[in-house]
Amino acid sequence: MIVAAMWVPALGGDLIAYSALPDPPWYGSEALLAQLVAASAIVLVIVAVGTYQLVGRTLQPVEDMTAELAEITATDLGHRVPVPAHHELRRRLPGRVPIRTDLQPGVLVSCDRLLIARLLANLLDNAQRHATTTVTVTVRAEDDTAILAVFDDGAGIAPEHREIIFERFARLPESRQRDPKGTGLGLANCREIAHAHRGTLTIEDPGQGACLVLRMPLAD
């Protein structure tokens, strides 16, 4: 109950008048409770439908690839797996500047091919973004180490920034200008992939521009 008290003057002496009402429920009234329940049900239905559609659109490319892979057999190799436009498995499109290669044959490493492909794609994207006229990729063996180097003839990276760019979300002013929508995760992910393969990813000074060098153990 909710109780209120008030002094009341009277001929025989002052009195105290009390008034009591039932304590209202936390939901206010039954009508308000019914409205809240109905509104909550509508919101839940909208969220559930939206989530179902979003997840369906997201997973549809994966389902298409899975279905196509299931149809590929040893006697029917003409099928091709549909790959989304931004998937890591895409065929690489021409970049802003040409890529020249100097690849020593027979340099083999044991690796996760998808992860190394992602690393190489990130390095090439980064090099083409900052290059002035060309990007050069070299592969060679040195003792028991395979070496992949990606050169660009851009402005280069100052010595004091050559470790910072491997930190997550780190972005230099030039990088922000050339790629405003970037996340600053590309080179950080590349170094993690290198470390996962018992390798290293560093920046070396080519004299002009930038040179990112991946070193990994040669395969037995």
Side-chain angles (χ1 to χ4, degrees):
M1 305 288 287
I2 295 179
V3 180
M6 184 175 70
W7 288 101
V8 179
L11 294 178
D14 293 342
L15 303 176
I16 300 178
Y18 292 93
S19 176
L21 293 173
D23 192 9
W26 63 269
Y27 49 81
S29 67
E30 293 182 358
L32 178 60
L33 178 62
Q35 293 176 0
L36 291 175
V37 171
S40 299
I42 294 174
V43 171
L44 287 175
V45 170
I46 293 175
V47 171
V49 172
T51 302
Y52 177 80
Q53 293 178 346
L54 177 62
V55 172
R57 287 196 300 267
T58 303
L59 295 181
Q60 188 60 47
V62 178
E63 293 178 358
D64 293 341
M65 294 172 64
T66 303
E68 193 68 25
L69 284 170
E71 295 182 7
I72 297 177
T73 65
T75 58
D76 186 9
L77 301 179
H79 284 284
R80 291 296 180 267
V81 177
V83 180
H86 299 292
H87 194 274
E88 292 297 342
L89 292 175
R90 64 191 186 276
R91 287 177 181 22
R92 182 175 178 82
L93 299 177
R96 187 176 62 85
V97 298
I99 298 177
R100 299 176 180 174
T101 59
D102 180 10
L103 311 179
Q104 177 182 330
V107 181
L108 303 177
V109 296
S110 298
C111 67
D112 183 309
R113 299 177 70 177
L114 290 182
L115 289 179
I116 293 300
R118 181 181 301 175
L119 180 151
L120 181 57
N122 284 340
L123 293 185
L124 292 178
D125 287 341
N126 183 75
Q128 289 187 316
R129 187 180 306 121
H130 295 279
T132 301
T133 61
T134 188
V135 171
T136 303
V137 179
T138 66
V139 171
R140 70 182 190 276
E142 189 174 289
D143 297 329
D144 59 351
T145 303
I147 301 175
L148 165 74
V150 179
F151 302 83
D152 72 73
D153 60 352
I157 303 172
E160 62 269 22
H161 295 154
R162 292 178 183 174
E163 282 299 314
I164 294 177
I165 64 171
F166 290 108
E167 297 177 1
R168 286 183 171 273
F169 308 109
R171 305 195 67 205
L172 302 182
E174 183 184 3
S175 179
R176 294 180 183 273
Q177 180 180 4
R178 291 178 178 268
D179 185 17
K181 296 183 179 180
T183 62
L185 292 173
L187 291 180
N189 290 340
C190 287
R191 175 166 276 187
E192 290 179 1
I193 293 173
H195 289 171
H197 289 82
R198 298 181 295 124
T200 61
L201 180 63
T202 58
I203 296 178
E204 298 185 358
D205 189 356
Q208 178 185 358
C211 177
L212 281 86
V213 181
L214 170 68
R215 288 180 168 86
M216 291 176 54
L218 282 171
D220 294 336

